[in-house]
Amino acid sequence: MAAAGATADIVSDNPADPGDRVGSFRPGGGIDVDRAVSAARDAAAGYAALPAQARADSLHRAAGRVEARAAELAELVRREVGKPVLEARGEVARTAAILRYHAQAALDPDGDTFPSGDGRSLLMARRRPRGVVGLITPWNFPIAIPAWKLAPALAYGNACVWKPSPFSPACAEALLECLAPELPGPVVQMVQGRADAGAALVGHPGVHAISFTGSVATGNAVARMAVERGAAAQCEMGGQNASIVLADADLEAAAATIATAAMGYAGQKCTATSRVICDGATAAGMRDALVAAVEGLRVEDPAEEACRVGPLISAGARDAAAAAVKRGVEAGGRLLAGGGPLDAPGNYLAPALVEVDDPSAELAQEEVFAPVCALMRADGADAAVELANGVRHGLVTAVFTRDLDRVLDLANRLDTGLVRVNQPTSGVDLHTPFGGEKASGLGPREQGKAAREFYTSLRTVLISPSC
Ligand code: NAD
C-alpha cells in the first residue's frame, strides 16, 4: 500500500537557496515498478547474450557522454544536493572513471577451470549475470553511487531497475541520459519514487538481486525483505567512523585532515569522521588544533570555489542535527565549536565539535549525518581501539601515527571494512573493495573487482567425453 503523501510530486529544491526549484517529478509506485521490471526482464536475455566487448563499448561511450557534459553535471550536483562545487566536479570525473573501469572489467576472465575427477573431463565454474537487478540509491553521491552499481551490473550482463533518491531526481535523470542512448536496448529502467517504490522493487518477484545504499534502518528492512523471498541482497549502510590520533602523530596535520573529513560536504558522507579519539597525553593539544581547524573551514554557498562546508540536504536534516547537538550537550557533552543554524538562507549548520566523555552517549554511538563530530579521549592505543570498535557500525577507521609497527597491529584489530592511515576517513579508491562490517554492510563488497561477486552468480559445469 502506498504511504501517505507517496503520490505527491517529488519536488527538488536547492539546499543552498530554498527559492531555487531544480525540478518537479512524478513519483512512481508499485504499478510503475511492475512495468519497469517487465521491460527489464524482456531485455535481459538479449543483453546477457551480447559479447562482453559490446557491453564494454557501451559503457565507454556513456563515460564519454559524462565527460562531455562534465561542467553541466557538476553544476546540477552542486545545485540539487548542495555539494561544494570542487567536490561536485570530482564526483563527475569519478563517475566517468567508474564507467570506464567496469567497461574494462567486462573483459576479465569469467570463471575458473578445475582438475576433473577423471582427468579427461572439463570442469569449470563460469560466471553469469543474475538477470534483473534492483538498485536503490541515496542522494549524497547522486551520480557516483548509482554509477558504481549500474556500471558493474551492466558490464556483467544484467538488466537494471533503478530507484534513485527522491532528494536527487534531476541528477538521476541526467545520468540516465548519458547511459540510455549508448545501451543496445531498454536495459536500464528508472523509477523515480519514495520508500513505497523502493519497497515494491525489493519485493518484486521478477527482481533477482537488490543492491541498496542508504541508512542502516532502511538497509536492514531491505535485506530482510529480499532474503525472505530468496533474492540476493547487498546493503551498504551508515557509519559512525572514528579517527584515532595517537600520541606520536603530527597534531596540526591530523587536525586539518580530520576537520575536513568530519565537516566537509556538511558531514554528509557515509565515510565522514563522526568521532575523534585522541590519546589522553595529547588531548589538550589535539582539542585546540581541532577547534582551530574546524573554525577555519569555509561554510558558505557551495557555488564558491573555496567552499568546503555547504548546506544540509534539507531544513529538516539541519534541524535534526542541531537538536542532536543540543541533546548531546544536555547529556554532558561540552560544545567546543558551532552547532547552530547560520543566519542565512539555505540549510546551513555551523560545524559542531562536542567533547564527549561517555562512550555510550548518543553522539558517540549514532550517525547524525551532518557536520557534527564527537571528540573523545583514550589512554593508549589499546583503549583507542576498544573505543573505536565499541559501536554497532563498522565502515571505516582512520589512524594518525608515525609508528608503522603499531599500524600493522591496529589494522588487524579494527573491525571496520576500511582502515586508512594518516588519511581522512572519507575517500574511496574506485578500484578497491568498498563496504562495511557489522551494521554498516551486508553482502559482498562493492567496487573494483569485488563488484563481480554480487552482479554474477557461478555455474559449475562438468563436460565429459561422450564415451
Ligand atoms: P535512506 O535510507 O533514507 O534512503 C536510501 C534509499 O532507500 C532512497 O532511495 C530511499 O527512497 C529508499 N528507501 C527508503 N525506504 C525504503 C524502503 N522501505 N524500501 C526500499 N527503499 C527505501 O538514506 P539516505 O538519507 O538517502 O542516505 C543517507 C544514508 O546513506 C546515511 O546513513 C549514509 O551513511 C548512507 N550511505 C552509505 C553509503 C555506503 O556506501 N556505505 C554511501 C552513501 C550513503
Side-chain angles (χ1 to χ4, degrees):
M1 186 187 294
T7 52
D9 272 1
I10 293 172
V11 167
S12 173
D13 290 335
N14 181 343
D17 176 1
D20 175 25
R21 177 140 298 174
V22 179
S24 215
F25 300 80
R26 195 187 72 80
I31 293 171
D32 304 270
V33 168
D34 210 31
R35 269 196 217 112
V37 173
S38 288
R41 192 169 43 206
D42 290 348
Y47 184 65
L50 283 181
Q53 184 67 59
R55 299 197 296 267
D57 291 346
S58 294
L59 291 173
H60 275 303
R61 289 195 303 269
R65 282 184 186 254
V66 170
E67 285 155 352
R69 292 176 60 179
E72 172 213 337
L73 289 172
E75 265 306 283
L76 186 59
V77 169
R78 191 269 302 162
R79 190 168 157 231
E80 184 160 57
V81 299
K83 182 167 287 198
V85 66
L86 210 64
E87 286 200 53
R89 287 189 202 121
E91 177 169 351
V92 174
R94 166 152 309 213
T95 299
I98 288 167
L99 291 167
R100 291 202 188 281
Y101 176 90
H102 291 286
Q104 211 52 40
L107 301 169
D108 283 352
D110 63 357
D112 298 297
T113 60
F114 301 83
S116 64
D118 60 13
R120 298 193 306 148
S121 301
L122 176 59
L123 178 57
M124 58 188 171
R126 280 195 73 188
R127 292 193 175 268
R128 54 194 208 116
R130 288 195 181 266
V132 176
V133 297
L135 310 176
I136 299 177
T137 52
W139 54 267
N140 64 331
F141 286 83
I143 60 172
I145 288 180
W148 82 47
K149 295 183 190 298
L150 287 160
L154 292 166
Y156 300 123
N158 298 280
C160 307
V161 181
W162 170 30
K163 195 212 78 68
S165 166
F167 287 100
S168 54
C171 287
E173 299 278 351
L175 179 62
L176 190 65
E177 281 167 19
C178 295
L179 264 174
E182 300 301 351
L183 295 167
V187 287
V188 176
Q189 298 286 322
M190 185 172 74
V191 180
Q192 297 276 14
R194 301 186 174 87
D196 62 311
L201 182 58
V202 178
H204 200 293
V207 177
H208 304 108
I210 297 283
S211 179
F212 165 90
T213 298
S215 59
V216 171
T218 311
N220 285 340
V222 164
R224 269 196 303 273
M225 202 195 284
V227 166
E228 217 158 78
R229 66 171 186 83
Q234 172 187 60
C235 296
E236 285 306 334
M237 298 172 277
Q240 182 64 354
N241 311 304
S243 287
I244 297 174
V245 185
L246 296 180
D248 70 335
D250 176 335
L251 296 189
E252 300 283 327
T257 301
I258 292 169
T260 308
M263 313 299 186
Y265 186 25
Q268 300 169 114
K269 298 177 185 174
C270 57
T271 52
T273 294
S274 307
R275 299 175 293 151
V276 181
I277 300 172
C278 67
D279 192 284
T282 54
M286 189 59 203
R287 184 190 303 120
D288 292 347
L290 203 52
V291 169
V294 167
E295 289 183 339
L297 290 170
R298 302 279 292 261
V299 186
E300 59 188 342
D301 188 329
E304 297 294 332
E305 291 287 328
C307 172
R308 293 296 171 269
V309 184
L312 281 104
I313 187 68
S314 65
R318 179 203 55 205
D319 295 347
V325 173
K326 189 161 173 279
R327 284 195 302 278
V329 171
E330 284 164 3
R334 292 176 293 282
L335 188 63
L336 302 178
L342 291 200
D343 185 17
N347 311 321
Y348 296 95
L349 183 81
L353 186 63
V354 184
E355 197 161 21
V356 171
D357 297 328
D358 177 4
S360 67
E362 182 187 347
L363 286 182
Q365 290 291 326
E366 296 302 325
E367 181 188 49
V368 186
F369 212 57
V372 176
C373 183
L375 175 61
M376 307 172 78
R377 55 187 286 172
D379 290 323
D382 291 339
V385 170
E386 197 178 323
L387 209 50
N389 286 345
V391 293
R392 67 193 167 116
H393 308 83
L395 188 52
V396 50
T397 313
V399 183
F400 292 82
T401 180
R402 296 177 167 109
D403 184 342
L404 182 59
D405 290 353
R406 200 178 279 288
V407 163
L408 287 168
D409 171 43
L410 295 191
N412 288 326
R413 291 161 55 204
L414 290 163
D415 55 12
T416 47
L418 295 96
V419 174
R420 294 164 61 84
V421 178
N422 299 319
Q423 284 282 329
T425 49
S426 53
V428 172
D429 293 302
L430 65 92
H431 54 297
T432 59
F434 177 79
E437 304 276 322
K438 295 159 50 184
S440 294
L442 275 169
R445 295 287 194 257
E446 298 202 88
Q447 305 210 50
K449 301 275 186 228
R452 193 171 69 156
E453 278 311 307
F454 182 72
Y455 291 105
T456 60
S457 64
L458 276 171
R459 173 166 291 178
T460 304
V461 180
L462 174 63
I463 304 172
S464 295
S466 57
C467 56

